[in-house]
Amino acid sequence: SRRCKHRRCMSLRERNSTTTYTPNQHLMERGKSNARAKGSLLGIPDRNQDKAAQQQSEELIEKENNRKLEELAAITGNIKRSVIDIESGIAESHTLMDELGNQMENGKTLINGAMNKLTQLANQGGSRHMCYLILFVVFVVILVYFIITHLGASSEPQ
């Protein structure tokens, strides 16, 4: 009989030293060991391959999750910068609104003062004060007319 040098065949020979294999039996034993090694080709699941495939699948899922986490981190960073920009814009708007409110209050105070003086002037009576008041109103109307006509003419396209 021929002797095979495969490890499996050698270990079988050592265990069964009294048994001699015919070439057909030897081929059958080798076929069984090959079938075990290539079990997945025949549709029989191999545990080592299953574990390797599962581990590879888990690694792919973990890589995908890490990539998505990086994308989320970038998006959240962009949103955070946008929120900070909006917040600073709102704070600046509040400051401008406060300044505008103060200026309007000052303008209101000036107009009230002018109205009080005009009321006092009208209440004092006398033709001289009335004449000054009428001249003042005419002067203001003429001044406004010239301002409107010059600004209107300069702002028109040529």
Side-chain angles (χ1 to χ4, degrees), residues 8-19 21 29:
R8 174 131 175 90
C9 297
M10 290 174 67
S11 65
L12 284 174
R13 255 185 271 139
E14 290 170 0
R15 276 190 280 148
N16 302 325
S17 57
T18 58
T19 310
Y21 286 105
E29 276 302 315

Side-chain angles (χ1 to χ4, degrees), residues 115-131:
M115 286 301 291
N116 287 339
K117 287 183 181 180
L118 285 175
T119 304
Q120 284 178 357
L121 187 64
N123 288 339
Q124 284 180 355
S127 62
R128 195 167 138 201
H129 293 290
M130 276 307 226
C131 213

Side-chain angles (χ1 to χ4, degrees), residues 7 10 34 42-43 64-65 69 79 90 92-93 98 103 105 123 140 150 154 156-157:
R7 261 190 268 172
M10 290 174 67
N34 284 343
L42 299 174
E64 182 69 17
N65 285 343
L69 281 173
I79 291 172
I90 289 173
E92 187 177 325
S93 294
D98 289 341
Q103 289 176 355
E105 197 64 38
N123 288 339
V140 169
H150 285 318
S154 64
E156 290 179 9

